Amino acid sequence: MIKYVSTRGSQDIKTAAQAVIQGISEDKGLYVPTDIPALPFKPEEMQGKTYQDMAAKVISSFFTDYTEEEMQACINGAYDSKFEEKEIAPIVKGGEAYFLELYHGKTAAFKDMALSILPYLLTTAMKKEKEEKKICILTATSGDTGKAALEGFADVAGTEIIVFYPNQGVSQVQERQMVTQEGANTHVFAINGNFDDAQTGVKKIFNDSNFAAELAAMNCKLSSANSINIGRLVPQVAYYVYTYVKFLEKGVLKSGEKMNVVVPTGNFGNILAAYYAREMGIPIGKLICASNENKVLTDFINTGCYDIRRDFYLTNSPSMDILISSNLERLLYHLSGGNAAEIKDLMESLDREKVYQVSDKIKSGLVDFYGGYATVAETAAVIGEMYQKNGYLMDTHTAVAYKVYEDYVGETGDKTPTVIAATASAYKFADSVASAIGLGEEKDGFAYVKALHEKTGVRVPAGLKGLEQKEIRHTGVLDIDQLQTAVKDCLK
Ligand SMILES: *Cc1c(COP(=O)(O)O)cnc(C)c1O
């Protein structure tokens, strides 16, 4: 059975179900599998199988304490007609690259891929563990996780969901999606700060044992819907496995040949999932990590030094406006050979000094990664070029990835077939995308949605239609030091 341990080394050993409920370890570390399982099948055997078939097998091989029936029920509940494409994650060619479109779920961003299933994994875990407390999901969001978590958990029995997003740090469409959320158990707050402030605030609440005791007295327990929760991360591994199988099916690759993967990266969850797929045995060459102007990761991959003593930028790819990429901690743990003491030191150094330098051993493990970044102007330029040349519409995050892919190919000449994680619908960032393809000024984000649709004919995701007419239900704005009180008020 695969168990889950903390990256920071306390003797905290959990089953998958327990780790999903707990979210983050009490020692502040993240749960990682003791072993990354090998693929439970040969990729060529899976040709012709559905997304659901592959996801069930991949997730089950990490979550060995879930029975086959339990996992199948989770899969069936998650990956159904709420996805607007039957294939769940279609692969579409644009220029020389293949785009893995991960945004056809309810909230039009890739976060739906994992957050459609997380509520099922969590409620199943609660049954298995006979957990009778109400689970309160705390979520810091750079824009997309919040909405996807709200949709996933709205009116799920035994849960309450609270989302914190950076005031002025998300697009107008993203904000409206969240503040119009229905459901008796949903709570949404803007916070005066950026995503890192929100994430740090939420982590602080998780690590406050007095607060946990207070909540326990109210019969509540905290958990997380951020990618710090292993239940968010593991379902994401499935779509990289799926892509490889589709590449075999389409004849893009022959059995055993490698593909490269490009991921627009913020909290490092999505690209870590690709790394897990590779460790399972999927032939992946380079893992290309694309950042916007908040390029801590580009610098880290190139130098081994993680340094957040720098300016923070608000860009046109706001879901990646992040300096502290939480899931990198998991990669470092694996690359260090499971040296939790070393990881604890690094993370404490980041807390204290805002910088750390990894050992040569970890640094040598980074050779499989390539780091690059795109500026706001470069991002807009590639959206325009791609649309003009190929008629393919990219959102700003996907465009960051595409630009870094172009740079990578220019630098290395590497012709390996490449998949780019397309992480959001262009309509979520309609203002930036519309101006990138040469449309004029509109009065607000919703008018841009309309203009973009008229120009391109690309379908508007159902969840974004009529958004401007929906009732606004959440209006709270908090300072960073008010999060705890707000959580308590929501749970009263
Ligand atoms: C969350 C998000 C990302 C970054 O993904 P991570 O897993 O946090 O690295 C990229 N693009 C979009 C559209 C997102 O919502």
mmCIF file of all heavy atoms in Angstrom, residues 349-387:
data_model
loop_
_atom_site.group_PDB
_atom_site.id
_atom_site.type_symbol
_atom_site.label_atom_id
_atom_site.label_comp_id
_atom_site.label_asym_id
_atom_site.label_seq_id
_atom_site.Cartn_x
_atom_site.Cartn_y
_atom_site.Cartn_z
ATOM 1 N N SER A 349 14.488 28.497 5.628
ATOM 2 C CA SER A 349 15.308 29.574 5.096
ATOM 3 C C SER A 349 14.469 30.506 4.217
ATOM 4 O O SER A 349 14.607 31.736 4.270
ATOM 5 C CB SER A 349 16.485 28.965 4.329
ATOM 6 O OG SER A 349 17.074 29.913 3.499
ATOM 7 N N LEU A 350 13.561 29.917 3.440
ATOM 8 C CA LEU A 350 12.687 30.743 2.602
ATOM 9 C C LEU A 350 11.807 31.652 3.468
ATOM 10 O O LEU A 350 11.627 32.839 3.178
ATOM 11 C CB LEU A 350 11.811 29.854 1.710
ATOM 12 C CG LEU A 350 10.925 30.589 0.701
ATOM 13 C CD1 LEU A 350 11.777 31.369 -0.302
ATOM 14 C CD2 LEU A 350 10.001 29.616 -0.040
ATOM 15 N N ASP A 351 11.287 31.087 4.550
ATOM 16 C CA ASP A 351 10.468 31.865 5.486
ATOM 17 C C ASP A 351 11.247 33.035 6.083
ATOM 18 O O ASP A 351 10.777 34.156 6.140
ATOM 19 C CB ASP A 351 10.055 30.958 6.663
ATOM 20 C CG ASP A 351 8.613 30.518 6.540
ATOM 21 O OD1 ASP A 351 7.953 30.929 5.565
ATOM 22 O OD2 ASP A 351 8.166 29.751 7.417
ATOM 23 N N ARG A 352 12.448 32.718 6.543
ATOM 24 C CA ARG A 352 13.268 33.684 7.280
ATOM 25 C C ARG A 352 14.007 34.648 6.369
ATOM 26 O O ARG A 352 13.926 35.859 6.510
ATOM 27 C CB ARG A 352 14.314 32.938 8.122
ATOM 28 C CG ARG A 352 13.969 32.747 9.569
ATOM 29 C CD ARG A 352 15.197 32.260 10.360
ATOM 30 N NE ARG A 352 16.195 31.569 9.545
ATOM 31 C CZ ARG A 352 16.269 30.248 9.422
ATOM 32 N NH1 ARG A 352 15.440 29.459 10.060
ATOM 33 N NH2 ARG A 352 17.203 29.703 8.661
ATOM 34 N N GLU A 353 14.763 34.079 5.417
ATOM 35 C CA GLU A 353 15.673 34.903 4.611
ATOM 36 C C GLU A 353 15.112 35.248 3.239
ATOM 37 O O GLU A 353 15.733 35.969 2.486
ATOM 38 C CB GLU A 353 17.024 34.188 4.384
ATOM 39 C CG GLU A 353 17.472 33.189 5.433
ATOM 40 C CD GLU A 353 18.100 33.868 6.631
ATOM 41 O OE1 GLU A 353 18.405 35.070 6.504
ATOM 42 O OE2 GLU A 353 18.239 33.217 7.679
ATOM 43 N N LYS A 354 13.968 34.642 2.886
ATOM 44 C CA LYS A 354 13.351 34.847 1.567
ATOM 45 C C LYS A 354 14.191 34.291 0.413
ATOM 46 O O LYS A 354 14.053 34.717 -0.736
ATOM 47 C CB LYS A 354 13.057 36.350 1.293
ATOM 48 C CG LYS A 354 12.352 37.079 2.427
ATOM 49 C CD LYS A 354 10.950 36.563 2.618
ATOM 50 C CE LYS A 354 10.304 37.081 3.897
ATOM 51 N NZ LYS A 354 9.269 36.187 4.424
ATOM 52 N N VAL A 355 15.078 33.371 0.729
ATOM 53 C CA VAL A 355 15.943 32.811 -0.304
ATOM 54 C C VAL A 355 16.509 31.476 0.185
ATOM 55 O O VAL A 355 16.639 31.265 1.387
ATOM 56 C CB VAL A 355 17.105 33.806 -0.633
ATOM 57 C CG1 VAL A 355 17.898 34.164 0.613
ATOM 58 C CG2 VAL A 355 18.024 33.280 -1.733
ATOM 59 N N TYR A 356 16.762 30.558 -0.733
ATOM 60 C CA TYR A 356 17.549 29.368 -0.400
ATOM 61 C C TYR A 356 18.317 28.896 -1.621
ATOM 62 O O TYR A 356 17.976 29.233 -2.755
ATOM 63 C CB TYR A 356 16.675 28.232 0.171
ATOM 64 C CG TYR A 356 15.612 27.675 -0.751
ATOM 65 C CD1 TYR A 356 15.928 26.825 -1.801
ATOM 66 C CD2 TYR A 356 14.268 27.976 -0.535
ATOM 67 C CE1 TYR A 356 14.946 26.302 -2.634
ATOM 68 C CE2 TYR A 356 13.274 27.467 -1.365
ATOM 69 C CZ TYR A 356 13.621 26.630 -2.417
ATOM 70 O OH TYR A 356 12.645 26.134 -3.245
ATOM 71 N N GLN A 357 19.373 28.118 -1.354
ATOM 72 C CA GLN A 357 20.194 27.542 -2.420
ATOM 73 C C GLN A 357 20.167 26.029 -2.220
ATOM 74 O O GLN A 357 20.427 25.560 -1.123
ATOM 75 C CB GLN A 357 21.622 28.086 -2.296
ATOM 76 C CG GLN A 357 22.648 27.437 -3.197
ATOM 77 C CD GLN A 357 22.539 27.923 -4.644
ATOM 78 O OE1 GLN A 357 22.373 29.115 -4.885
ATOM 79 N NE2 GLN A 357 22.607 26.996 -5.595
ATOM 80 N N VAL A 358 19.833 25.286 -3.277
ATOM 81 C CA VAL A 358 19.744 23.836 -3.099
ATOM 82 C C VAL A 358 21.110 23.168 -3.231
ATOM 83 O O VAL A 358 22.058 23.753 -3.775
ATOM 84 C CB VAL A 358 18.754 23.179 -4.090
ATOM 85 C CG1 VAL A 358 17.350 23.691 -3.853
ATOM 86 C CG2 VAL A 358 19.181 23.383 -5.539
ATOM 87 N N SER A 359 21.195 21.930 -2.735
ATOM 88 C CA SER A 359 22.437 21.148 -2.810
ATOM 89 C C SER A 359 22.730 20.756 -4.267
ATOM 90 O O SER A 359 21.847 20.808 -5.123
ATOM 91 C CB SER A 359 22.275 19.869 -1.989
ATOM 92 O OG SER A 359 21.226 19.098 -2.554
ATOM 93 N N ASP A 360 23.955 20.337 -4.514
ATOM 94 C CA ASP A 360 24.330 19.899 -5.862
ATOM 95 C C ASP A 360 23.486 18.710 -6.307
ATOM 96 O O ASP A 360 23.148 18.584 -7.480
ATOM 97 C CB ASP A 360 25.817 19.507 -5.913
ATOM 98 C CG ASP A 360 26.702 20.748 -5.829
ATOM 99 O OD1 ASP A 360 26.162 21.868 -6.022
ATOM 100 O OD2 ASP A 360 27.904 20.597 -5.539
ATOM 101 N N LYS A 361 23.154 17.862 -5.351
ATOM 102 C CA LYS A 361 22.353 16.675 -5.692
ATOM 103 C C LYS A 361 20.992 17.100 -6.264
ATOM 104 O O LYS A 361 20.566 16.619 -7.310
ATOM 105 C CB LYS A 361 22.152 15.820 -4.440
ATOM 106 C CG LYS A 361 21.271 14.617 -4.717
ATOM 107 C CD LYS A 361 21.289 13.630 -3.568
ATOM 108 C CE LYS A 361 20.390 12.438 -3.906
ATOM 109 N NZ LYS A 361 20.310 11.494 -2.804
ATOM 110 N N ILE A 362 20.322 18.023 -5.567
ATOM 111 C CA ILE A 362 19.017 18.483 -6.060
ATOM 112 C C ILE A 362 19.204 19.198 -7.390
ATOM 113 O O ILE A 362 18.464 18.981 -8.345
ATOM 114 C CB ILE A 362 18.333 19.410 -5.029
ATOM 115 C CG1 ILE A 362 17.940 18.611 -3.779
ATOM 116 C CG2 ILE A 362 17.107 20.086 -5.650
ATOM 117 C CD1 ILE A 362 17.249 19.422 -2.692
ATOM 118 N N LYS A 363 20.234 20.026 -7.446
ATOM 119 C CA LYS A 363 20.451 20.810 -8.662
ATOM 120 C C LYS A 363 20.654 19.885 -9.869
ATOM 121 O O LYS A 363 20.115 20.151 -10.954
ATOM 122 C CB LYS A 363 21.670 21.722 -8.481
ATOM 123 C CG LYS A 363 21.875 22.671 -9.632
ATOM 124 C CD LYS A 363 22.455 24.002 -9.195
ATOM 125 C CE LYS A 363 22.424 24.975 -10.357
ATOM 126 N NZ LYS A 363 23.633 24.890 -11.188
ATOM 127 N N SER A 364 21.346 18.796 -9.667
ATOM 128 C CA SER A 364 21.591 17.906 -10.817
ATOM 129 C C SER A 364 20.284 17.264 -11.278
ATOM 130 O O SER A 364 20.127 16.940 -12.451
ATOM 131 C CB SER A 364 22.649 16.860 -10.467
ATOM 132 O OG SER A 364 22.146 15.997 -9.477
ATOM 133 N N GLY A 365 19.316 17.124 -10.369
ATOM 134 C CA GLY A 365 18.006 16.585 -10.761
ATOM 135 C C GLY A 365 17.194 17.549 -11.603
ATOM 136 O O GLY A 365 16.209 17.156 -12.247
ATOM 137 N N LEU A 366 17.595 18.815 -11.584
ATOM 138 C CA LEU A 366 16.831 19.817 -12.340
ATOM 139 C C LEU A 366 17.169 19.814 -13.831
ATOM 140 O O LEU A 366 16.552 20.553 -14.600
ATOM 141 C CB LEU A 366 17.091 21.224 -11.770
ATOM 142 C CG LEU A 366 16.563 21.494 -10.355
ATOM 143 C CD1 LEU A 366 17.043 22.856 -9.864
ATOM 144 C CD2 LEU A 366 15.040 21.433 -10.321
ATOM 145 N N VAL A 367 18.127 18.969 -14.250
ATOM 146 C CA VAL A 367 18.512 18.984 -15.673
ATOM 147 C C VAL A 367 17.362 18.612 -16.605
ATOM 148 O O VAL A 367 17.372 18.994 -17.772
ATOM 149 C CB VAL A 367 19.710 18.045 -16.004
ATOM 150 C CG1 VAL A 367 20.965 18.540 -15.342
ATOM 151 C CG2 VAL A 367 19.384 16.613 -15.636
ATOM 152 N N ASP A 368 16.396 17.876 -16.094
ATOM 153 C CA ASP A 368 15.270 17.481 -16.946
ATOM 154 C C ASP A 368 14.279 18.619 -17.138
ATOM 155 O O ASP A 368 13.335 18.507 -17.908
ATOM 156 C CB ASP A 368 14.531 16.297 -16.319
ATOM 157 C CG ASP A 368 15.463 15.121 -16.127
ATOM 158 O OD1 ASP A 368 16.317 14.911 -17.007
ATOM 159 O OD2 ASP A 368 15.361 14.448 -15.085
ATOM 160 N N PHE A 369 14.482 19.692 -16.399
ATOM 161 C CA PHE A 369 13.589 20.846 -16.506
ATOM 162 C C PHE A 369 14.260 21.950 -17.324
ATOM 163 O O PHE A 369 15.478 22.120 -17.277
ATOM 164 C CB PHE A 369 13.271 21.406 -15.105
ATOM 165 C CG PHE A 369 12.337 20.528 -14.317
ATOM 166 C CD1 PHE A 369 12.816 19.418 -13.637
ATOM 167 C CD2 PHE A 369 10.979 20.813 -14.262
ATOM 168 C CE1 PHE A 369 11.954 18.593 -12.908
ATOM 169 C CE2 PHE A 369 10.119 19.999 -13.536
ATOM 170 C CZ PHE A 369 10.607 18.895 -12.861
ATOM 171 N N TYR A 370 13.437 22.656 -18.065
ATOM 172 C CA TYR A 370 13.907 23.869 -18.744
ATOM 173 C C TYR A 370 13.012 24.994 -18.243
ATOM 174 O O TYR A 370 11.793 24.839 -18.185
ATOM 175 C CB TYR A 370 13.776 23.703 -20.257
ATOM 176 C CG TYR A 370 14.054 24.978 -21.055
ATOM 177 C CD1 TYR A 370 15.342 25.263 -21.531
ATOM 178 C CD2 TYR A 370 13.029 25.893 -21.332
ATOM 179 C CE1 TYR A 370 15.593 26.420 -22.252
ATOM 180 C CE2 TYR A 370 13.278 27.054 -22.060
ATOM 181 C CZ TYR A 370 14.566 27.314 -22.514
ATOM 182 O OH TYR A 370 14.813 28.456 -23.227
ATOM 183 N N GLY A 371 13.609 26.112 -17.866
ATOM 184 C CA GLY A 371 12.799 27.227 -17.367
ATOM 185 C C GLY A 371 12.892 28.418 -18.296
ATOM 186 O O GLY A 371 13.983 28.759 -18.775
ATOM 187 N N GLY A 372 11.766 29.032 -18.593
ATOM 188 C CA GLY A 372 11.775 30.237 -19.404
ATOM 189 C C GLY A 372 10.597 31.119 -19.016
ATOM 190 O O GLY A 372 9.727 30.684 -18.259
ATOM 191 N N TYR A 373 10.591 32.341 -19.524
ATOM 192 C CA TYR A 373 9.478 33.225 -19.181
ATOM 193 C C TYR A 373 9.121 34.111 -20.360
ATOM 194 O O TYR A 373 9.892 34.267 -21.309
ATOM 195 C CB TYR A 373 9.812 34.065 -17.947
ATOM 196 C CG TYR A 373 10.745 35.224 -18.210
ATOM 197 C CD1 TYR A 373 10.255 36.529 -18.310
ATOM 198 C CD2 TYR A 373 12.113 35.015 -18.351
ATOM 199 C CE1 TYR A 373 11.109 37.589 -18.554
ATOM 200 C CE2 TYR A 373 12.969 36.068 -18.597
ATOM 201 C CZ TYR A 373 12.465 37.361 -18.692
ATOM 202 O OH TYR A 373 13.301 38.399 -18.945
ATOM 203 N N ALA A 374 7.911 34.661 -20.284
ATOM 204 C CA ALA A 374 7.434 35.577 -21.320
ATOM 205 C C ALA A 374 6.918 36.848 -20.657
ATOM 206 O O ALA A 374 6.289 36.789 -19.592
ATOM 207 C CB ALA A 374 6.316 34.920 -22.127
ATOM 208 N N THR A 375 7.193 37.975 -21.285
ATOM 209 C CA THR A 375 6.693 39.247 -20.770
ATOM 210 C C THR A 375 5.243 39.439 -21.205
ATOM 211 O O THR A 375 4.733 38.715 -22.069
ATOM 212 C CB THR A 375 7.512 40.422 -21.325
ATOM 213 O OG1 THR A 375 7.316 40.458 -22.750
ATOM 214 C CG2 THR A 375 8.993 40.282 -21.017
ATOM 215 N N VAL A 376 4.605 40.458 -20.632
ATOM 216 C CA VAL A 376 3.222 40.792 -20.994
ATOM 217 C C VAL A 376 3.119 41.053 -22.499
ATOM 218 O O VAL A 376 2.220 40.540 -23.183
ATOM 219 C CB VAL A 376 2.748 42.022 -20.175
ATOM 220 C CG1 VAL A 376 1.492 42.639 -20.769
ATOM 221 C CG2 VAL A 376 2.522 41.617 -18.715
ATOM 222 N N ALA A 377 4.065 41.827 -23.032
ATOM 223 C CA ALA A 377 4.009 42.180 -24.454
ATOM 224 C C ALA A 377 4.241 40.951 -25.338
ATOM 225 O O ALA A 377 3.558 40.762 -26.353
ATOM 226 C CB ALA A 377 5.046 43.260 -24.764
ATOM 227 N N GLU A 378 5.185 40.103 -24.939
ATOM 228 C CA GLU A 378 5.449 38.881 -25.722
ATOM 229 C C GLU A 378 4.232 37.952 -25.723
ATOM 230 O O GLU A 378 3.921 37.312 -26.729
ATOM 231 C CB GLU A 378 6.657 38.129 -25.134
ATOM 232 C CG GLU A 378 7.982 38.818 -25.398
ATOM 233 C CD GLU A 378 9.138 38.223 -24.592
ATOM 234 O OE1 GLU A 378 8.895 37.604 -23.514
ATOM 235 O OE2 GLU A 378 10.290 38.391 -25.033
ATOM 236 N N THR A 379 3.569 37.903 -24.571
ATOM 237 C CA THR A 379 2.383 37.054 -24.448
ATOM 238 C C THR A 379 1.303 37.524 -25.413
ATOM 239 O O THR A 379 0.701 36.727 -26.147
ATOM 240 C CB THR A 379 1.873 37.103 -22.990
ATOM 241 O OG1 THR A 379 2.941 36.693 -22.130
ATOM 242 C CG2 THR A 379 0.670 36.208 -22.778
ATOM 243 N N ALA A 380 1.054 38.818 -25.416
ATOM 244 C CA ALA A 380 0.051 39.377 -26.328
ATOM 245 C C ALA A 380 0.454 39.120 -27.785
ATOM 246 O O ALA A 380 -0.381 38.738 -28.613
ATOM 247 C CB ALA A 380 -0.113 40.876 -26.067
ATOM 248 N N ALA A 381 1.740 39.271 -28.078
ATOM 249 C CA ALA A 381 2.193 39.113 -29.466
ATOM 250 C C ALA A 381 1.962 37.687 -29.975
ATOM 251 O O ALA A 381 1.485 37.497 -31.100
ATOM 252 C CB ALA A 381 3.671 39.494 -29.583
ATOM 253 N N VAL A 382 2.255 36.677 -29.167
ATOM 254 C CA VAL A 382 2.068 35.303 -29.673
ATOM 255 C C VAL A 382 0.588 34.934 -29.793
ATOM 256 O O VAL A 382 0.228 34.124 -30.652
ATOM 257 C CB VAL A 382 2.833 34.206 -28.871
ATOM 258 C CG1 VAL A 382 4.333 34.367 -29.025
ATOM 259 C CG2 VAL A 382 2.409 34.136 -27.427
ATOM 260 N N ILE A 383 -0.255 35.536 -28.962
ATOM 261 C CA ILE A 383 -1.701 35.281 -29.122
ATOM 262 C C ILE A 383 -2.144 35.780 -30.500
ATOM 263 O O ILE A 383 -2.827 35.074 -31.246
ATOM 264 C CB ILE A 383 -2.521 35.987 -28.014
ATOM 265 C CG1 ILE A 383 -2.245 35.346 -26.653
ATOM 266 C CG2 ILE A 383 -4.034 35.927 -28.332
ATOM 267 C CD1 ILE A 383 -2.878 36.067 -25.473
ATOM 268 N N GLY A 384 -1.710 37.000 -30.839
ATOM 269 C CA GLY A 384 -2.050 37.580 -32.135
ATOM 270 C C GLY A 384 -1.513 36.753 -33.289
ATOM 271 O O GLY A 384 -2.241 36.397 -34.218
ATOM 272 N N GLU A 385 -0.224 36.387 -33.217
ATOM 273 C CA GLU A 385 0.391 35.614 -34.303
ATOM 274 C C GLU A 385 -0.274 34.255 -34.488
ATOM 275 O O GLU A 385 -0.556 33.846 -35.618
ATOM 276 C CB GLU A 385 1.878 35.356 -33.992
ATOM 277 C CG GLU A 385 2.781 36.520 -34.344
ATOM 278 C CD GLU A 385 4.125 36.399 -33.625
ATOM 279 O OE1 GLU A 385 4.603 35.249 -33.432
ATOM 280 O OE2 GLU A 385 4.679 37.446 -33.233
ATOM 281 N N MET A 386 -0.499 33.575 -33.393
ATOM 282 C CA MET A 386 -1.108 32.240 -33.477
ATOM 283 C C MET A 386 -2.503 32.336 -34.098
ATOM 284 O O MET A 386 -2.881 31.523 -34.935
ATOM 285 C CB MET A 386 -1.187 31.611 -32.078
ATOM 286 C CG MET A 386 -1.888 30.268 -32.015
ATOM 287 S SD MET A 386 -1.084 28.961 -32.949
ATOM 288 C CE MET A 386 0.138 28.400 -31.766
ATOM 289 N N TYR A 387 -3.239 33.356 -33.695
ATOM 290 C CA TYR A 387 -4.597 33.485 -34.236
ATOM 291 C C TYR A 387 -4.564 33.825 -35.726
ATOM 292 O O TYR A 387 -5.273 33.212 -36.523
ATOM 293 C CB TYR A 387 -5.396 34.520 -33.442
ATOM 294 C CG TYR A 387 -6.828 34.584 -33.944
ATOM 295 C CD1 TYR A 387 -7.709 33.527 -33.676
ATOM 296 C CD2 TYR A 387 -7.280 35.646 -34.709
ATOM 297 C CE1 TYR A 387 -8.999 33.525 -34.167
ATOM 298 C CE2 TYR A 387 -8.579 35.658 -35.201
ATOM 299 C CZ TYR A 387 -9.434 34.595 -34.922
ATOM 300 O OH TYR A 387 -10.707 34.600 -35.424
#
